Amino acid sequence: MTQRYRLHYAPDNASLAIRLALETLGLAYDTALIDRRNGALNSPAYRALNPGGLIPVLETAHGPIFETAAILLWLADRHGGLGPAPADPARGTFLKWLFFTSNTLHADLRMVFYPAKYIGPDPQDQAALRRGLTARLQQHLTMLDRAVAAPDWPGGATELYLCCLLRWMPLYPDDQDNGWFDLSRYPALAALATRIEATPAAAAASAAEGLGPTPFTAPRPATPPEGSPT
């Protein structure tokens, strides 16, 4: 008997990409809400699952997996349907964009969300960091928009991950002007967000995490707002 998966999550965190993947694949899973406000990420029990203390973790019959891209790739290889198989000629293209999304786009976005962690408490230093990063993020999005529109775009798990990041860009940090981001400037990404938004998987995830009817094309804060993107 196959063990049910268990997803450790908080609303509107990186776990959203994993929930979308599980729903897309039609897999049975349970969820465990992480109480971020009361320090659950630093609890010994959670650190035993993810020593880095970040969301998400997916518990499997083979042990816990952390890192969003790693979980997505593992699910794709184990169940199919989320990306080209290892022997497929499109595999390399799939991997490069999945890891660009994780290691470059998401990593830069984290610094926009949490500048104090990277440059310290000075507001002017934080503002300068954000200015440089948002300019770089616009370059990343232009590159991705071209890639998504290209005939060799492999789709799959990368699209689910991208939609989560596109959702967060106009919302976070909620104490800043996020006018640097305009989805309409990236027509292929906008079409991708519209398509994924219309799927049953997105509807299920939106209902579970209180994301509203247009979570990717016209996002609003999660209700309840027990998290922030990681």
Side-chain angles (χ1 to χ4, degrees):
M1 179 177 179
T2 302
Q3 181 190 42
R4 287 175 67 95
Y5 293 123
R6 184 173 178 83
L7 175 63
H8 294 259
Y9 85 103
D12 215 11
N13 277 236
S15 49
L16 175 59
I18 310 306
R19 188 191 290 272
L20 286 167
L22 294 168
E23 291 288 346
T24 298
L25 294 170
L27 298 174
Y29 68 100
D30 299 312
T31 57
L33 177 64
I34 305 302
D35 188 354
R36 294 185 58 166
R37 290 178 176 173
N38 291 316
L41 290 175
N42 293 317
S43 69
Y46 193 74
R47 291 282 178 152
L49 298 172
N50 182 352
L54 295 173
I55 296 170
V57 167
L58 185 69
E59 289 192 73
T60 80
H62 307 285
I65 308 173
F66 54 88
E67 293 295 327
T68 305
I71 299 171
L72 290 172
L73 182 56
W74 188 87
L75 288 171
D77 286 351
R78 185 167 180 81
H79 297 284
L82 288 179
D88 192 309
R91 177 72 166 192
T93 301
F94 168 68
L95 290 176
K96 73 183 180 185
W97 289 117
L98 175 62
F99 284 94
F100 179 85
T101 299
S102 175
N103 296 353
T104 302
L105 184 66
H106 194 175
D108 282 356
L109 201 56
R110 273 186 57 82
M111 288 191 279
V112 171
F113 295 157
Y114 308 115
K117 292 184 177 181
Y118 298 93
I119 204 165
D122 184 88
Q124 291 185 337
D125 289 345
Q126 293 181 20
L129 178 64
R130 281 197 176 106
R131 283 195 299 273
L133 285 168
T134 53
R136 191 161 72 182
L137 283 163
Q138 289 172 329
Q139 295 173 352
H140 298 339
L141 291 170
T142 297
M143 187 188 312
L144 279 161
D145 196 60
R146 292 171 183 160
V148 169
D152 65 345
W153 173 250
T158 308
E159 297 187 335
L160 306 179
Y161 199 166
L162 276 174
C163 282
C164 297
L165 301 182
L166 294 173
R167 167 181 168 75
W168 298 336
M169 289 177 188
L171 289 180
Y172 304 108
D174 57 9
D175 62 345
Q176 298 291 320
D177 176 8
N178 298 319
W180 67 270
F181 174 73
D182 180 356
L183 183 59
S184 68
R185 293 179 55 191
Y186 312 102
L189 291 173
L192 167 63
T194 300
R195 175 167 56 82
I196 297 299
E197 192 171 81
T199 63
S206 294
E209 301 195 12
L211 306 183
T214 53
F216 308 129
T217 60
R220 69 184 192 196
T223 306
E226 278 110 343
S228 59
T230 59

